[in-house]
Amino acid sequence: MKNVLDPSQNRVVIIGGGPGGYEAALVAGQLGADVMLIERNRCGGSAVLTDVVPSKTLIATAELMGQIEVSGPLGIRLRGTEDGEPAAIERGAARADLDTINKRIKHLANAQATDIYDGLVAAGVKAIKGTARMSGRHTVHVVEEEGNEYELEADVVLICVGAHPRELPSAQPDGERILTWTQLYDLDELPEHLVVVGSGVTGAEFASAYHALGSKVTLVSSRDRVLPGEDKDAADVLEKAFRSRGMNVLSRSRAESVTRTDDGVLVTLDDGRKVNASHCLMAVGSIPNTKDLGLESAGVQLEDSGHVVVDGVSRTSRPGIYAAGDCTSVMPLASVAAMQGRIAMWHALGDAVAPLKLRNVASNIFTSPEIATVGFSQKDFEEDRKEIDCVTQPLSTNARAKMQEISDGFVKIFSRRGSGSILGGVVVGPKASELILPITLAVENRLTVDQLASSFTVYPSLSGSITEAARKLHHHAS
């Protein structure tokens, strides 16, 4: 094998062009490697074409619709509505044109995919449209879209093939009425009544979005509450908001089957209840795309779930083979996949690198209200509460929130007792994805609550609640 510390003499083969793949390719190209990226669809992968970019574009429209629907108390009146009523803008006053929305989604996704491809070409990466699998420990078999087949000898291989929606035998998607999240963007009319099966992040986001767009939504949750893996206080706020807006949330309910009817779907629950609706979205998890890639024969260890086992620098069990993204069991976030890919190339090509630190990863759930988290969670501290201080600052007391008619949400900060160092935080509210940054910087740089509290914030601003929460922890800091 060629010397892996000399990138100018290395061939890097990347299987999969999602965030982990294309970010890794850019790093490898920057370090002078000979880089080939194989992607069966378009650069950007499912994150750009059917997942992150499309869903967040849909949610951006839903967010605006939601603001219109609750703008009556701010004195906003739409033509055709009566003046003088405190909530003159009622649900349904604005209408969502789903066909136009989905056309815009596909246009933006395609534009992003093109930009990524152009960036890769400019960086000297050879992007190949086709499929690939391991045919040896350092040999990749490629089948191009045109049918050309050949073997690539590689010094470094990166596996970043992503994942696909999990399907239930009793609820097979048909792309028309029974849908996965990748099929929603082919709808040309807003579902009259959408049943969302699954109350994890994906299910909660789409339930929130389609309800804001005007659909009747029933959310089926097999657990006691929505978002069972998230901060309990945050999940409680979201579920309360869902119910107060008229969403039907069925807790402790499991979908036994979903079948087509003459004009819609029939969802049968395991307790015998039945829900008739126009459409059903199945959001019951995902499965890594690692089947038939030849990974086992190449000596790459897989979990029982099919996920690739990796360490902190994205190495698999086989030297020279790395993995990144949703095909690993690391956090399924585009930002994490991208960092995994970069770290893999920095490590493989001998550049300075530090292992991935998941406790510094900020994540966001794009519901209404949004839920953003970073660092350790309250669940992490359940067995060590004497060492941790926690404060929750409701947004309802914030002046800017009152101006914007924001009543749902809070800022929560965790700090270590004695030193006052900030260990984590949660923000629930509009634009929580933006508001989490100060807490992320505090966690990343090990700032104390006093340091955060002494930072100036604009008045009035939602971010003022962050420093206010930090000030409430002052008496615990040394």
Side-chain angles (χ1 to χ4, degrees):
M1 180 182 291
K2 298 172 185 175
N3 182 0
V4 296
L5 296 180
D6 182 358
S8 66
Q9 297 179 13
N10 276 281
R11 168 172 284 182
V12 174
V13 175
I14 299 172
I15 304 177
Y22 70 74
E23 287 290 344
L26 293 174
V27 168
Q30 183 183 46
L31 295 176
D34 176 18
V35 189
M36 295 188 178
L37 183 148
I38 301 97
E39 166 59 49
R40 64 184 176 184
N41 196 345
R42 297 190 63 193
C43 292
S46 61
V48 168
L49 298 172
T50 60
D51 195 351
V52 182
V53 171
S55 66
K56 277 42 176 184
T57 304
L58 175 76
I59 289 167
T61 301
E63 183 181 54
L64 182 56
M65 282 285 292
Q67 291 172 351
I68 293 172
E69 297 287 357
V70 299
S71 60
L74 277 71
I76 305 297
R77 302 289 184 264
L78 294 182
R79 295 186 184 279
T81 60
E82 297 182 5
D83 292 333
E85 295 296 327
I89 297 179
E90 298 178 353
R91 179 171 169 82
R95 183 180 67 86
D97 181 348
L98 193 65
D99 184 47
T100 299
I101 292 170
N102 282 341
K103 285 177 179 176
R104 176 173 181 265
I105 287 171
K106 292 178 181 179
H107 172 75
L108 291 177
N110 286 326
Q112 184 67 13
T114 298
D115 287 345
I116 292 170
Y117 175 81
D118 291 343
L120 290 170
V121 172
V125 176
K126 183 178 181 182
I128 301 168
K129 190 169 186 178
T131 60
R133 66 185 308 275
M134 300 298 300
S135 55
R137 292 185 175 180
H138 291 283
T139 306
V140 177
H141 182 75
V142 179
V143 180
E144 293 186 357
E145 186 181 45
E146 296 81 1
N148 299 324
E149 294 190 40
Y150 48 85
E151 305 283 328
L152 288 176
E153 293 295 328
D155 298 300
V156 177
V157 178
L158 175 65
I159 308 294
C160 43
V161 292
H164 62 276
R166 179 169 170 257
E167 299 178 4
L168 301 181
S170 59
Q172 285 294 300
D174 60 13
E176 296 177 351
R177 296 285 182 172
I178 306 173
L179 308 155
T180 69
W181 64 81
T182 67
Q183 299 169 327
L184 287 169
Y185 311 108
D186 291 326
L187 296 177
D188 53 14
E189 292 185 356
L190 194 68
E192 180 182 347
H193 180 187
L194 177 67
V195 175
V196 179
V197 177
S199 62
V201 174
T202 300
E205 286 188 343
F206 280 114
S208 179
Y210 275 91
H211 189 265
L213 290 173
S215 292
K216 177 182 178 181
V217 173
T218 296
L219 179 60
V220 178
S221 173
S222 63
R223 307 291 285 274
D224 292 340
R225 57 181 172 85
V226 300
L227 299 175
E230 302 299 321
D231 182 90
K232 184 181 183 303
D233 293 336
D236 287 345
V237 169
L238 181 63
E239 184 167 338
K240 181 180 177 181
F242 280 176
R243 293 182 185 276
S244 68
R245 295 168 190 161
M247 187 185 299
N248 185 21
V249 181
L250 303 179
S251 302
R252 297 181 295 279
S253 303
R254 188 178 298 275
E256 186 174 87
S257 66
V258 183
T259 56
R260 286 285 298 264
T261 62
D262 290 340
D263 58 353
V265 296
L266 176 65
V267 181
T268 302
L269 305 182
D270 60 359
D271 61 5
R273 287 180 295 170
K274 298 181 185 296
V275 181
N276 284 288
S278 62
H279 297 77
C280 179
L281 168 64
M282 299 300 297
V284 290
S286 59
I287 297 174
N289 297 324
T290 53
K291 187 178 180 180
D292 299 327
L293 281 182
L295 296 178
E296 295 96 332
S297 61
V300 175
Q301 182 183 355
L302 300 178
E303 299 179 7
D304 292 341
S305 61
H307 291 91
V308 183
V309 177
V310 294
D311 65 9
V313 291
S314 306
R315 288 179 297 191
T316 70
S317 57
R318 172 59 56 188
I321 302 180
Y322 295 74
D326 290 359
C327 66
T328 72
S329 56
V330 184
M331 295 175 71
L333 298 173
S335 58
V336 172
M339 185 58 73
Q340 282 182 287
R342 297 185 199 107
I343 287 174
M345 292 302 102
W346 288 327
H347 184 271
L349 300 175
D351 205 353
V353 64
L356 181 68
K357 296 179 181 178
L358 291 179
R359 82 175 192 90
N360 295 345
V361 175
S363 62
N364 192 72
I365 302 171
F366 291 86
T367 46
S368 178
E370 293 183 8
I371 299 174
T373 58
V374 67
F376 291 116
S377 67
Q378 194 156 344
K379 187 176 181 180
D380 295 327
F381 303 135
E382 286 180 350
E383 298 180 359
D384 196 21
R385 294 190 178 185
K386 293 181 179 179
E387 302 297 323
I388 303 300
D389 287 316
C390 172
V391 69
T392 300
Q393 178 66 32
L395 287 183
S396 58
T397 63
N398 181 286
R400 186 69 183 274
K402 292 176 182 177
M403 296 170 193
Q404 296 178 332
E405 285 290 317
I406 297 169
S407 57
D408 298 325
F410 60 79
V411 172
K412 181 188 289 188
I413 296 177
F414 306 104
S415 66
R416 188 171 299 282
R417 185 167 298 175
S419 68
S421 60
I422 296 173
L423 301 175
V426 182
V427 178
V428 179
K431 304 296 183 184
S433 52
E434 310 293 341
L435 291 172
I436 197 67
L437 180 60
I439 304 177
T440 302
L441 290 172
V443 172
E444 176 73 33
N445 295 284
R446 302 184 181 278
L447 301 183
T448 67
V449 290
D450 279 350
Q451 288 173 312
L452 181 57
S454 64
S455 301
F456 278 93
T457 55
V458 172
Y459 182 85
S461 68
L462 296 182
S463 59
S465 290
I466 296 174
T467 52
E468 188 171 354
R471 285 194 294 274
K472 288 186 175 182
L473 291 168
H474 168 71
H475 67 285
H476 294 296
S478 58

